């Protein structure tokens, strides 16, 4: 088989890139390790920046988001029961965010992919990039006991943190940066009306909590848990009681609880690999970087990578500008580090991490108070939360 771009991974990064390239007449094949149902079964992000929403529309997969997604022009931060609303729209000249689950946008991209008749091979195992440092790379894989080889011009590693792409780059060509936080987020999805029309990020002595949503009848809640916690030790009732203890009284009193549809613990990690490319292999999304979900930047930073590679490859094939491929990593990394810093900063301010000294706790409380009580501070939070603009490739 032969194609222009092989995309490894059918998560949001791979599917969005595949659709955008297809719209530009750049044929591509996506290889995914698990089934489509398994991909859809992972409950993850919920907040989209406007840039991501625009890319989804450009990819021909934004229709349901524009109908079912909720446009939010504000977000709340509660500190030990005191609520402050960050008016995103007024502080950023009208920018907002869209609340629409990653599961749904992944489904929309899968549907668009099916209509595009591009090849997507699910349950493709032993996927392996070859000759990535040369001019004739190829990817091998197996499916239903048969071995396959795809000759291509470029390989897009969209296979997440545990994928094969990053591991295919010689270790002496990369530098890794990492912070693993002592704890994670225990998340619950429930078919209950959300406790608040906008998201509420809550700092509390007992630990962080987040009230989010997917629709007016589907809510998503999180509480920070310690590094040794196991999801099986958290009954629904125990979860709801702990969440109520961390929320401002007026929210705790009106919280509507119900059985969990999904319950899982997501680890908290900051990670970046530099550079995000090697030869004809490019790393996108979680294959190249991970953030703690506190700033809602995981999915949105991945979209920035997709925008950059899509813009570059469009010029490569339409204008013969193959030298632009050398700019991919440096173009992505400025926005990646912005997202890393904001997620790290919000996580440190809002979480009670073991090992934080009393003095550090005071510093974080004072910093949080400064940012929340001043318009300058709120503008800095709002500017980063709605997302920084994508870089234009010239
Ligand atoms: P993904 O990991 O989504 O997709 C990679 C795909 O590649 C997967 O489908 C995988 O099966 C496939 N793959 C892996 N290895 C392969 C191989 N060798 N061959 C072929 N395919 C392979 N972000 C937020 O903003 N908010 C959140 O609340 C949030 N919660 C999260 C919870 C968890 C448990 C995790 C892991 C991440 C969470 N994230 C969250 C971040 C998440 O949304 C990611 O940013 C987003 O999924 C990134 O998308 P991709 O880069 O496509 O990676
Ligand atoms: C979610 O709804 O899953 C969500 C929203 C905002 C975040 C993290 C997760 O910062």
């Amino acid at each position: 088989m032969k194609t222009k771009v092989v995309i490894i991974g059918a998560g949001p990064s791979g599917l969005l890139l595949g659709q955008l390239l297809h719209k530009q007449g750049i044929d591509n094949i996506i290889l995914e390790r698990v089934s489509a149902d398994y991909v859809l079964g992972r409950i993850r992000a919920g907040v989209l920046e406007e840039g991501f929403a625009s890319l989804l529309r450009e990819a021909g997969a934004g229709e349901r988001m524009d109908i079912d997604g909720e446009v939010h022009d504000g977000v709340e931060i509660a500190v030990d029961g005191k609520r402050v609303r960050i008016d995103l729209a007024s502080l950023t000249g009208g920018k907002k965010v869209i609340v629409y689950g990653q599961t749904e946008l992944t489904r929309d991209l899968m549907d668009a992919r099916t209509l595009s008749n591009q090849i997507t091979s699910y349950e493709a195992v032993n996927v392996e990039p070859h000759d990535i440092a040369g001019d004739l790379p190829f990817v091998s894989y197996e499916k239903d006991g048969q071995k396959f080889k795809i000759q291509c011009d470029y390989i897009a590693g969209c296979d997440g943190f545990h994928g094969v792409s990053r591991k295919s780059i010689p270790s002496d060509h990369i530098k890794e940066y990492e912070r693993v936080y002592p704890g994670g987020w225990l998340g619950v999805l429930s078919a209950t009306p959300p406790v608040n029309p906008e998201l509420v990020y809550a700092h509390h002595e007992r630990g962080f909590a987040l009230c989010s949503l997917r629709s007016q009848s589907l809510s998503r809640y999180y509480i920070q848990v310690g590094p040794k916690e196991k999801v099986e030790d958290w009954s629904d009732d125990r979860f709801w009681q702990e969440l109520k203890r961390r929320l401002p009284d007026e929210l705790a009193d009106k919280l509507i609880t119900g059985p969990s549809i999904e319950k899982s613990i997501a680890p908290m990690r900051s990670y970046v690999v530099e550079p995000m490319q090697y030869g004809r292999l490019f790393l996108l999304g979680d294959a190249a970087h991970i953030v703690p979900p506190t700033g809602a930047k995981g999915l949105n930073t991945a979209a920035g990578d997709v925008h950059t590679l899509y813009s570059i490859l469009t010029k490569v094939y339409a204008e013969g500008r193959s030298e632009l491929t050398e700019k991919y990593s440096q173009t992505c990394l400025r926005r990646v580090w912005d997202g890393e810093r904001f997620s790290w900063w919000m996580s440190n301010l809002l979480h009670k991490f073991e090992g934080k000294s009393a003095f550090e706790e005071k510093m974080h409380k004072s910093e949080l108070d400064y940012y929340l009580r001043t318009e300058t501070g709120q503008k800095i939070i709002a500017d980063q939360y709605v997302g920084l603009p994508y870089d234009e490739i010239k």
Side-chain angles (χ1 to χ4, degrees):
M1 276 183 279
K2 184 165 173 43
T3 189
K4 291 192 173 67
V5 183
V6 171
I7 298 170
I8 304 176
S13 298
L15 289 166
L16 180 58
L17 177 65
Q19 270 309 100
L20 290 168
L21 292 177
H22 165 65
K23 291 284 184 187
Q24 293 297 326
I26 302 170
D27 60 85
N28 59 86
I29 292 176
I30 297 181
L31 302 176
E32 166 55 57
R33 180 172 57 182
V34 297
S35 68
D37 285 345
Y38 190 94
V39 176
L40 290 171
R42 295 187 295 231
I43 306 296
R44 289 186 176 169
V47 171
L48 307 184
E49 297 171 0
E50 286 179 336
F52 193 134
S54 302
L55 285 178
L56 266 182
R57 296 184 192 106
E58 189 177 341
E63 197 178 335
R64 222 161 50 102
M65 170 194 65
D66 286 332
I67 296 166
D68 297 338
E70 290 200 5
V71 178
H72 283 203
D73 57 12
V75 65
E76 284 193 28
I77 297 179
V79 182
D80 303 338
K82 182 171 173 290
R83 297 163 67 177
V84 174
R85 181 173 186 270
I86 309 285
D87 189 334
L88 299 172
S90 69
L91 289 164
T92 63
K95 290 186 183 174
K96 302 171 184 180
V97 293
I98 295 174
V99 175
Y100 188 63
Q102 177 170 325
T103 303
E104 299 318 311
L105 70 89
T106 302
R107 191 191 315 281
D108 299 335
L109 285 166
M110 284 179 177
D111 292 348
R113 179 93 180 157
T114 303
L115 290 175
S116 73
N117 287 321
Q118 293 282 294
I119 299 172
T120 312
S121 188
Y122 287 96
E123 297 176 293
V125 296
N126 300 327
V127 174
E128 193 177 344
H130 301 270
D131 294 352
I132 52 181
D135 290 337
L136 296 169
F138 66 95
V139 177
S140 61
Y141 70 100
E142 293 165 36
K143 184 172 167 82
D144 302 332
Q146 274 196 288
K147 292 183 187 296
F148 297 90
K149 171 179 174 180
I150 310 175
Q151 205 67 49
C152 56
D153 297 336
Y154 300 102
I155 302 168
C158 300
D159 45 351
F161 188 65
H162 302 289
V164 66
S165 299
R166 190 177 67 248
K167 295 167 191 150
S168 303
I169 301 178
S171 56
D172 57 353
H173 277 75
I174 58 170
K175 182 161 179 51
E176 298 177 284
Y177 303 84
E178 186 169 43
R179 163 151 167 64
V180 177
Y181 300 80
W185 281 20
L186 168 60
V188 159
L189 188 70
S190 61
T192 53
V195 71
N196 194 56
E198 293 176 332
L199 273 69
V200 182
Y201 292 79
H203 171 284
H204 189 274
E205 283 308 301
R206 297 180 63 85
F208 170 81
L210 170 62
C211 302
S212 184
L213 58 120
R214 296 291 179 268
S215 69
Q216 287 311 308
S217 58
L218 194 60
S219 298
R220 180 72 169 161
Y221 295 103
Y222 297 93
I223 57 172
Q224 172 194 355
V225 292
K228 298 189 179 65
E229 292 288 344
K230 292 184 174 51
V231 66
E232 52 268 26
D233 295 336
W234 282 87
S235 68
D236 288 1
D237 189 51
R238 183 186 176 198
F239 175 85
W240 294 121
Q241 290 315 311
E242 185 58 35
L243 175 65
K244 284 182 180 177
R245 296 175 77 169
R246 299 185 185 188
L247 295 181
D249 292 344
E250 66 274 22
L251 291 180
D253 293 344
K254 66 179 183 172
L255 178 71
I256 296 175
T257 66
S260 57
I261 302 171
E262 190 270 353
K263 183 161 47 179
S264 57
I265 295 179
M268 290 180 77
R269 179 199 310 270
S270 297
Y271 174 90
V272 179
V273 67
E274 289 189 356
M276 291 170 50
Q277 68 185 97
Y278 177 73
R280 299 233 172 179
L281 171 67
F282 303 97
L283 302 179
L284 296 88
D286 280 18
H289 41 74
I290 295 283
V291 285
T294 324
K297 288 302 162 209
L299 199 47
N300 291 301
T301 307
D305 301 343
V306 170
H307 176 267
T308 298
L309 187 59
Y310 157 59
S311 305
I312 288 173
L313 291 181
T314 300
K315 286 182 177 295
V316 166
Y317 286 106
E319 305 166 21
R321 300 284 306 281
S322 54
E323 81 287 353
L324 289 175
T325 56
E326 291 148 31
K327 295 175 73 173
Y328 169 75
S329 181
Q330 69 187 62
T331 305
C332 291
L333 281 168
R334 186 180 62 78
R335 202 169 183 280
V336 164
W337 283 112
D338 271 337
E340 289 289 333
R341 176 182 39 74
F342 180 62
S343 307
W344 163 83
W345 180 71
M346 286 276 278
S347 297
N348 280 322
L349 290 191
L350 292 171
H351 289 71
K352 286 280 289 178
F353 288 128
E354 292 165 10
K356 200 194 274 189
S357 69
F359 178 77
E360 280 173 312
E361 188 55 41
K362 276 292 185 190
M363 285 296 98
H364 286 154
K365 286 291 284 293
S366 167
E367 187 173 7
L368 195 49
D369 177 57
Y370 169 74
Y371 276 89
L372 293 180
R373 74 168 188 268
T374 64
E375 184 177 343
T376 310
Q378 290 191 15
K379 189 171 174 9
I380 290 171
I381 293 173
D383 198 38
Q384 296 174 97
Y385 193 80
V386 297
L388 303 176
Y390 295 149
D391 295 279
E392 284 315 307
I393 302 296
K394 294 185 179 56

